[in-house]
Amino acid sequence: MPPPDFLPALLRPELAELHAYTPVAGDFPVRLDANESPPLLSAEARAALERAAAPEDWGRYPDARLVELREAIAARCGAEPGEILAGVGSDEVISIVLTALSRPRQGAHAASIVTVSPTFVMYKLSARARGMRAVEVPLDAGWDLDVATLLRAVEFARPNVVFIASPNNPTGALMSEDRLEAVIAAAKDALVIVDEAYIDFSPRDQLALRRRHPNVAVLRTLSKIGLASLRVGWLIGAPELVAELDKVRQPYNLPVLSQRAATFALRELDGELRRVAATVTGERERVARGLTELGLSVAPSHANFLWVGTRRPAGEVFDALAARGVLVRSFHASGGRLAHRLRITVGLREENDRLLAEIAACA
Ligand code: PMP
């Protein structure tokens, strides 16, 4: 059916270049495509979460100010509650940041963001959906920041926001500290978001950057550590920034169940979440060794997934694995150096064994 006549004239032109985010549908016995954590929470932890999540009154809105949740997050991250903005996943936090910080620089038609390539797609998607320009600077051959090119991009694009995920998705590794710091110093007129979605699997965090640079905010989430169903993510930033962003946040954005379960998890399940992270990290190293023994190239990972180089075109390996019931993530549609790369989330031990057996037959 053709679109209704009135629609084209109303749509933002940028939408023509965007696609809705749709994970691959289908029944795959082994899903290693979405960087969730495998089901490693103990039965006791799951039962305690269910008890904690239940609302006292199903008829009432949740706490619009997220008081308890922000206190629990702040305590965990060594921050003040006024430095925390919580959203429906870090996805919502990214969209709030971009809605609030979209004022064009003097003389420009639109505001810009700068990020790297490849990286998490929502930075660009969210920016384009708001009519902002997105400048992507390719990572270097070791998937680290290309500082010289980034500095040029910052100088010419004069971005409002710079997004750097570290550890990065889909490449897995932390960015070098000195390079990240050089970009932050060069972008002192912009907000630099250091996205630590995968920090629970990493040997170090980057919270100290916030103390050294007032233009840095850190993004975190519960999604990778076994609680993706809650959709809880947050930003840690200066209280003045958080107060402005809060004007854009929807009232009652986080449901009661998510607020309560997340607060409980942050306060009471620290040991359990650390155990999940340690199990995933151990499996990550085992799978990396297994893949390397099969002759595949595996980039060092500080996340809950591996960035794997394939001999055959990645699209063919992806299809062959999917036909064998194992769903991973391929970026071959982007072409270039991504045409021989797969991103494989670490799963349960038996899922990982199945992956290793199947990929041996088709990579
Ligand atoms: N940042 C990065 C780098 C990610 O990879 C993801 C998830 N794919 C997110 C943020 C979003 O996480 P969520 O919205 O589930 O908190």
Side-chain angles (χ1 to χ4, degrees), residues 15 29 41 51 79 127 133 138 162 197-198 213 236 255 266 273 296 301:
L15 296 192
L41 286 178
R51 282 194 301 275
R133 293 197 306 134
V162 177
Y198 298 96
H213 304 278
I236 315 164
L266 290 162
L273 298 182
L296 299 165
S301 173

Side-chain angles (χ1 to χ4, degrees), residues 60 114 129 243 248 251 275-276 363:
R60 295 282 170 193
V114 164
V248 176
R275 188 182 58 74
V276 169

Side-chain angles (χ1 to χ4, degrees), residues 89-91 94 120 123 165 169 195 197-198 221 223-224 231-233:
S90 22
D91 287 341
I94 292 165
F120 182 44
Y123 311 139
N169 171 14
D195 186 344
Y198 298 96
T221 177
S223 294
K224 312 300 166 187
R231 302 299 289 123
V232 173

